[in-house]
Amino acid sequence: MALSIAKGLKETYKLEVVGRNMDKLHAFESALGVTVDKHLLNHFDITGKTLLLCVKPANVEEVGTQLQGEARVLFSVLAGTSLEKLQHHIQSHAIVRTMPNLAASVGASMTTMTGDPHFRQEAQTLLGTIGKTLWLHSEKEIDIATALAGSGPAYLALIAEALSDGAVKEGLKREDAMYVMRGLFEGFGTLIQEIHPALLKDGVMSAGGTTAAGYSALEEGNVRASCIHAIEKAYEKAKLL
């Protein structure tokens, strides 16, 4: 995620990259394709800096003990890590929680955020370099949105793979099934921006037709209930992190 975000920022911002291992920092720089200032984490001074925190949630305490000074603002991409916990472990004048998703790597992330309202515009400008943004008004909302947009690419990947497998099962060549599936998702991604899902479904499903038969099979398999349950379980996990 750090690399995906950095790719979106590199044309507009001067970047400093901080990590535990200089070899990994060199590899990060190489993958990014531009020269950046590289620093080891231990005793790195964050005083007055804009800090984008991209570590595993379990490591926030360890990272906090190695940083010095007080940041100007901290933008965190740590799933389920509360403002209170961030404030406890990392010194910063202001904190904003953000949650990009995997599509940041292609500049199409759906990033949700919440925190210090004085930094709302800056956060949306910063993360707007990697896709769409939405400011939410509570940490509960961002944890729910994490379950939807943050984890969502994995859910859709499962559906994409399953639909392709179904076509192969019925006799379509694997490469053709994958090509059709990708075209399906590309077109659907455009349609869903303007049309409510229920209207899309009704527009495709004619009485007694092929779509109705397939849709009935999905309902029999409790796909709708499983999707709702997936959001519920991911949200519960986010609260526990």
Side-chain angles (χ1 to χ4, degrees):
M1 184 60 73
L3 180 60
S4 297
I5 295 172
K7 286 179 177 179
L9 299 177
K10 67 180 182 179
E11 302 298 334
T12 308
Y13 297 90
K14 181 180 184 297
L15 302 179
E16 294 181 90
V17 183
V18 183
R20 296 186 181 91
N21 181 289
M22 190 55 72
D23 289 338
K24 290 184 177 180
L25 289 174
H26 284 301
F28 185 95
E29 180 182 57
S30 178
L32 188 58
V34 298
T35 301
V36 296
D37 293 334
K38 300 175 290 297
H39 307 275
L40 290 175
L41 175 63
N42 194 31
H43 301 307
F44 180 71
D45 188 0
I46 61 174
T47 301
K49 294 183 180 293
T50 297
L51 189 64
L52 186 62
L53 187 65
C54 302
V55 301
K56 293 180 179 178
N59 293 339
V60 65
E61 182 175 359
E62 177 191 352
V63 169
T65 63
Q66 298 185 63
L67 297 174
Q68 293 184 336
E70 181 180 72
R72 169 181 167 268
V73 57
L74 168 65
F75 296 111
S76 168
V77 299
L78 280 60
T81 306
S82 69
L83 294 169
E84 181 181 6
K85 184 173 183 178
L86 291 165
Q87 196 169 39
H88 180 72
H89 292 295
I90 298 178
Q91 298 299 310
S92 181
H93 171 70
I95 299 177
V96 175
R97 283 183 60 186
T98 76
M99 181 44 58
N101 68 18
L102 187 64
S105 62
V106 292
S109 176
M110 178 63 251
T111 303
T112 51
M113 52 190 68
T114 195
D116 191 321
H118 295 98
F119 286 85
R120 172 177 177 172
Q121 186 58 56
E122 183 173 335
Q124 291 188 293
T125 299
L126 184 75
L127 278 305
T129 61
I130 57 168
K132 293 183 176 180
T133 66
L134 177 65
W135 184 269
L136 299 170
H137 298 285
S138 72
E139 293 195 81
K140 176 181 178 178
E141 290 176 315
I142 199 171
D143 286 338
I144 297 171
T146 295
L148 177 58
S151 302
Y155 311 151
L156 296 180
L158 173 64
I159 291 171
E161 183 181 38
L163 292 174
S164 300
D165 287 346
V168 172
K169 176 177 178 292
E170 296 306 314
L172 195 62
K173 293 179 181 178
R174 171 64 68 182
E175 60 269 28
D176 291 338
M178 293 296 291
Y179 187 85
V180 172
M181 176 274 295
R182 287 172 176 141
L184 162 67
F185 270 69
E186 182 178 14
F188 178 80
T190 300
L191 289 172
I192 201 67
Q193 301 302 318
E194 304 292 339
I195 306 174
H196 190 280
L199 297 178
L200 273 179
K201 179 257 294 179
D202 288 348
V204 177
M205 190 162 60
S206 56
T210 57
T211 302
Y215 195 89
S216 177
L218 293 174
E219 291 287 23
E220 289 172 4
N222 290 321
V223 171
R224 180 192 300 270
S226 294
C227 288
I228 293 171
H229 191 49
I231 301 297
E232 177 188 0
K233 298 301 289 185
Y235 169 53
E236 289 177 355
K237 183 66 175 180
K239 291 189 293 182
L240 293 174
L241 289 176

